[in-house]
Amino acid sequence: MSTYTMQHNGTTPERNTVYALIYGSVMVLGLPLNVLSLWILLRYHSFTAPSIVFMVNLAISDLLLVISLPMRVYFHATGTWPLRSFACIFITMLFHNNIRSSSIFITFISMDRLLAVVYPLRSRHLRTLANAWKAVLLIWLFVLVLNVPESVLFSKSLNRINETNCFEFSYIPNPSVTPISFVHTALVLTLLTVNIVCTALVSWTLRRHLNESARVNNKVNVMVIFVMNLLMFTIFFLPVSLVVLFGSERHYRTPLVCLASMNCCLDPLLYYFSLDGFWKKKEDVEISLARE
């Protein structure tokens, strides 16, 4: 059964071993990094600014992805799926949710930095904890709503092939482009555009010093945040979204899915560069944030 599954999926045992090693490495790195980041954000920062609210939820999204990786490691290491189809669909939804929620939370972090640097005074009524929590609630609701039709579609695809294929069930030959594929890709492209615009506006403001009321302590760190966000989209989120939309051959998709899972290991760097006092006590951070 194991040999049949690998040949049926169009992958070799050697390639599946590589996938298992990569997922295992992401799990080993991503779990402690995100647990530590979440602990630091909650212990030292404690929702002192809207950006921290988005960062906490980004860390939670990454942890949800990490907990799904052990079964991906098992699948690629053995070529079989020991659980029922519901478990396969659930784990796959965690991965898709991570791409969507992570891309949205990263964009909101960029927008929050944009408002703080370019419009520090006029944006104070927008950059509130209440508005941040409302946005977070809507984001998770949007992500979960997309799961309903997507889960139904994946369930039908899984029933048409062998259940032991699990994570390859959505990559059947000549897959039809679904409305969810369009929504997913349009979302990623729209958010990428927003990040590009935010990067351009902040870069222009920092170079021209047009707004002296925006007290930026470390301009390099600010730009690193935006560059990291753009790299996250172009390397991890966009390729796998375009491949699914245009229905490319299956052997291109699994490597890109594997690549996209690595985003959870880099997000902790975003927290570090976003907060000058990442390792400081909460009282020091509140003073730093009050200066913005």
Side-chain angles (χ1 to χ4, degrees), residues 85 154-163 169:
S85 60
F154 285 179
S155 178
K156 293 179 180 179
S157 299
L158 185 60
N159 291 333
R160 287 200 297 268
I161 59 177
N162 197 304
E163 186 175 285
F169 72 84

Side-chain angles (χ1 to χ4, degrees), residues 75-287:
F75 171 76
H76 287 289
T78 65
T80 60
W81 179 251
L83 303 178
R84 300 186 64 85
S85 60
F86 173 80
C88 180
I89 295 173
F90 177 76
I91 292 175
T92 303
M93 290 301 102
L94 286 180
F95 171 78
H96 287 199
N97 287 349
N98 173 260
I99 293 182
R100 291 162 188 161
S101 59
S102 293
S103 60
I104 297 174
F105 287 131
I106 287 174
T107 302
F108 270 70
I109 292 172
S110 293
M111 293 172 62
D112 179 76
R113 293 296 86 192
L114 166 72
L115 294 175
V117 173
V118 182
Y119 309 106
L121 299 180
R122 285 184 288 175
S123 65
R124 285 185 175 178
H125 68 287
L126 294 175
R127 298 178 62 240
T128 64
L129 292 177
N131 287 339
W133 281 113
K134 291 176 184 177
V136 165
L137 179 62
L138 291 176
I139 291 169
W140 284 116
L141 182 61
F142 170 75
V143 169
L144 292 176
V145 166
L146 287 182
N147 286 165
V148 177
E150 192 172 35
S151 297
V152 173
L153 176 65
F154 285 179
S155 178
K156 293 179 180 179
S157 299
L158 185 60
N159 291 333
R160 287 200 297 268
I161 59 177
N162 197 304
E163 186 175 285
T164 58
N165 289 346
C166 186
F167 299 116
E168 304 294 338
F169 72 84
S170 62
Y171 308 147
I172 56 176
N174 300 320
S176 57
V177 177
T178 65
I180 297 297
S181 301
F182 280 111
V183 171
H184 179 90
T185 307
L187 174 67
V188 173
L189 288 173
T190 301
L191 295 176
L192 174 60
T193 302
V194 172
N195 277 273
I196 293 174
V197 173
C198 289
T199 303
L201 289 175
V202 170
S203 176
W204 181 71
T205 300
L206 293 179
R207 288 202 315 269
R208 302 274 302 220
H209 305 285
L210 293 181
N211 197 333
E212 294 299 332
S213 60
R215 300 174 183 175
V216 181
N217 295 327
N218 195 327
K219 297 180 181 180
V220 174
N221 279 11
V222 172
M223 290 312 304
V224 167
I225 296 170
F226 289 96
V227 171
M228 285 184 59
N229 290 348
L230 291 179
L231 290 176
M232 294 282 280
F233 271 89
T234 55
I235 295 176
F236 300 121
F237 301 147
L238 186 60
V240 68
S241 302
L242 294 177
V243 165
V244 172
L245 177 64
F246 292 110
S248 299
E249 296 183 14
R250 292 175 295 164
H251 61 270
Y252 289 125
R253 302 185 184 188
T254 303
L256 290 178
V257 170
C258 196
L259 175 66
S261 68
M262 298 179 188
N263 80 87
C264 67
C265 296
L266 295 183
D267 284 336
L269 289 177
L270 178 62
Y271 314 144
Y272 177 81
F273 286 106
S274 296
L275 300 170
D276 290 336
F278 185 67
W279 297 99
K280 295 179 182 179
K281 294 182 179 180
K282 181 168 62 176
E283 293 80 6
D284 297 331
V285 175
E286 289 174 346
I287 294 174

